[in-house]
Amino acid sequence: MRQHTTILVPAVLVSAAALLAACSSSPSGGGEGRTPPPASRTPPGTASGEPGTPRTVADGLKVPWAVAFLPGGDALVTERDTARLLRVTPSGRRTTVGTVPGVDAQGEGGLLGVAVSPSYDTDQFVYLYYTAASDNRVVRATYDGRLRDLRPIVTGIPKGGIHNGGRLAFGPDEMLYIATGETGEGDKAQDRNSLGGKILRVTPDGAPAPGNPFGTRVWTYGHRNVQGLAWDAAGRMYATEFGQDHFDEINLITKGRNYGWPVVEGVGHRKGFTDPLLTWTTDQASPSGLAYADGSLWAAALRGERLWQIPLDDGGAGRPIARLQGRYGRLRAVVRAPDGSLWVTTSNQDGRGTPRSGDDRILDFPLG
């Protein structure tokens, strides 16, 4: 639990939170204390039709944590607790690629993120984030029909029973971004010498990427537990972040910025800290995976049990729209598929959900 933490909430957010008590499909106020515009305002590039009906691609899975697509259209899917890496076709056929050795699946740890090299056609590299006996780490492996030659490229990321981060994603710059958590120890987030509570940016070999702000692997800091990374069509970077008692966040990520944890949760208007682009109350979100598609961000909500669509307009956030609310339980990963739809995973077997028949599953959610 956090102690002696100052949470500064501007009056406009307090008013918004009171209003939201009567409207569970809308979040609390936006970044810098501004209320986002109504959802009916459709930014350029946003699909005008309603999303379609999801279909189940695969079911009977055990906490499918992350999804990354191979060039041919099949997906690699991690299972947190079993440490299995699966290959899933769009038609739903799945095979076990391998079980990753050395995974310590306890609490919120286990086999977490997966990313496919931007140069996969030539190097056949895939990247995995997992909790080991002593730390969280990123390994690079060769996948050519079987998983082999696993080699650690980033080690020493703090591990804990909670807040292990775990998302991996290659940015438009073809550098690897790594989302980490502070393991429930907030001071790690403000310590630039710690890899916990950060977004890291590294080369495909795991070295600090050229242009990093501090000459280390750290890209941004002051994070509590980041599990979603995405870029819009203009190359702007966004991240989801779990709050503690009051506000979950989406942040617009800028090189070298301090995002405030544990000094501020939500909007604080504090010098030296960057306020979130958007906040929700924690019962509406607990946002994990994040994707960008058709002019909107799409955030998978665990406790909120919905998929949030956040229209974007030149980097600004419109009024979020709740999709799939209460239909499939806890939602963990969301990623844009090669055909333009979204693949979304449930997380009802993670110890905090209520499993339903067929859980956990991968859903294919067509956009309008």
Side-chain angles (χ1 to χ4, degrees), residues 126-324:
V126 298
Y127 296 77
L128 299 163
Y129 183 117
Y130 70 84
T131 310
S134 60
D135 61 1
N136 285 299
R137 55 183 53 195
V138 178
V139 299
R140 187 175 71 188
T142 299
Y143 175 66
D144 55 2
R146 62 189 182 95
L147 194 67
R148 56 188 179 83
D149 300 332
L150 278 71
R151 182 172 73 85
I153 61 167
V154 179
T155 59
I157 301 169
K159 64 170 284 189
I162 58 173
H163 303 179
N164 289 286
R167 196 66 60 188
L168 296 178
F170 278 94
D173 56 3
E174 298 192 349
M175 296 294 112
L176 180 63
Y177 290 78
I178 305 166
T180 76
E182 36 75 295
T183 69
E185 299 180 21
D187 290 347
K188 287 186 171 72
Q190 290 296 318
D191 180 1
R192 295 209 308 251
N193 293 316
S194 171
L195 298 182
K198 309 294 188 297
I199 295 174
L200 310 178
R201 176 176 176 263
V202 302
T203 68
D205 295 326
N212 279 7
F214 313 114
T216 67
R217 294 182 170 106
V218 174
W219 186 245
T220 57
Y221 64 110
H223 298 289
R224 186 169 183 260
N225 189 26
V226 174
Q227 288 190 2
L229 302 172
W231 289 261
D232 67 15
R236 288 175 287 246
M237 184 181 181
Y238 305 85
T240 58
E241 185 156 346
F242 291 86
Q244 178 167 282
D245 300 317
H246 298 279
F247 295 111
D248 293 324
E249 304 174 358
I250 286 185
N251 286 295
L252 178 62
I253 300 299
T254 303
K255 171 183 176 178
R257 294 284 183 88
N258 182 346
Y259 287 83
W261 182 257
V263 182
V264 179
E265 179 181 359
V267 175
H269 295 305
R270 290 284 295 271
K271 184 178 180 180
F273 301 129
T274 299
D275 282 337
L277 180 69
L278 184 74
T279 65
W280 291 273
T281 55
T282 53
D283 61 327
Q284 293 178 313
S286 295
S288 184
L290 187 67
Y292 174 80
D294 289 351
S296 292
L297 292 172
W298 302 80
L302 291 164
R303 185 179 174 193
E305 297 191 354
R306 66 200 79 175
L307 180 66
W308 282 111
Q309 178 186 359
I310 305 102
L312 295 178
D313 190 354
D314 195 27
R319 175 69 67 184
I321 306 163
R323 307 288 190 186
L324 309 182

Side-chain angles (χ1 to χ4, degrees), residues 53-54 56 324 326-331 346 348 356 359 361 363:
T53 301
T56 296
L324 309 182
R327 292 176 58 183
Y328 298 99
R330 292 163 62 83
L331 303 182
T346 69
N348 296 317
R356 310 172 185 207
D359 279 339
R361 66 188 70 230
L363 303 168

Side-chain angles (χ1 to χ4, degrees), residues 79-81 83 103-113 129-132 136 164:
E79 285 188 328
R80 188 189 72 181
D81 294 354
V103 173
D104 183 21
Q106 298 186 43
E108 295 177 3
L111 179 58
L112 304 176
Y129 183 117
Y130 70 84
T131 310
N136 285 299
N164 289 286

